[in-house]
Structures are given as C-alpha cells and as structure tokens.
Amino acid sequence: MLSGLQVDARGALTLLDDGVSASFPTGMAPIDLTMMRDGRFLYTLNADAGTITALQVSRDGGLIPRGEAGGLTPGGGAQGIAVR
C-alpha cells in the first residue's frame, strides 16, 4: 500500500484517498520509490516479485497504475531504484 499526502503552504500534511493511494497484491513488497523530475510518474521497486510498477500522478495527487515491468530475479537482492 502507498499513502499519498498533500502538503499545504504551512507544511501541514493531509492524507489523500482515505490513506490508500495505491494497493499492491500480497507478495509484491514495494521497497523503494522514485519519481520522474517532472512529477508525472512514480515507480516502485517490488523486490519480492522482481518487478517495477509505473504509476501516473494525476493533478490531484492520485495514483493511476500504468503497468509493470519484470525481468528482475524475485527476492534476488535488488535494493534501490533510480530514474532519469
């Protein structure tokens, strides 16, 4: 599960989407996140599944699943993710 937060001008945080902005199936185990510089896409590294999930960030901060890429060894030790 990913929780989205809104930050107001004073730095106060408010949960978006009732606290659940994205859900993942059991065994997915997202362990790291990275966002594109333009803020339009968020990616999660799902170490136990050996996948990377792409989520589009909507104007209101919501997350829209856009697909998954595999090819990593499930549980194979991947520790971090970075994008350009």
Side-chain angles (χ1 to χ4, degrees), residues 4 8 12 15-16 18 22 26 31-32 35 39 41 47-48 50-51 60 70-71 75 79 81:
D8 70 17
L15 280 172
L16 297 174
D18 294 326
T26 301
I31 63 164
D32 198 12
M35 185 174 282
F41 289 92
D48 284 355
T51 61
D60 67 359
Q79 297 295 310
I81 184 172

Side-chain angles (χ1 to χ4, degrees), residues 34-69:
T34 191
M35 185 174 282
M36 295 294 295
R37 287 183 184 171
D38 62 11
R40 294 180 55 211
F41 289 92
L42 176 72
Y43 299 93
T44 67
L45 170 61
N46 312 307
D48 284 355
T51 61
I52 295 171
T53 299
L55 302 151
Q56 184 177 353
V57 181
S58 64
R59 289 185 183 266
D60 67 359
L63 298 174
I64 304 161
R66 291 297 184 204
E68 203 173 276

Side-chain angles (χ1 to χ4, degrees), residues 12-24:
L13 301 175
T14 304
L15 280 172
L16 297 174
D17 307 310
D18 294 326
V20 180
S21 294
S23 295
F24 295 88

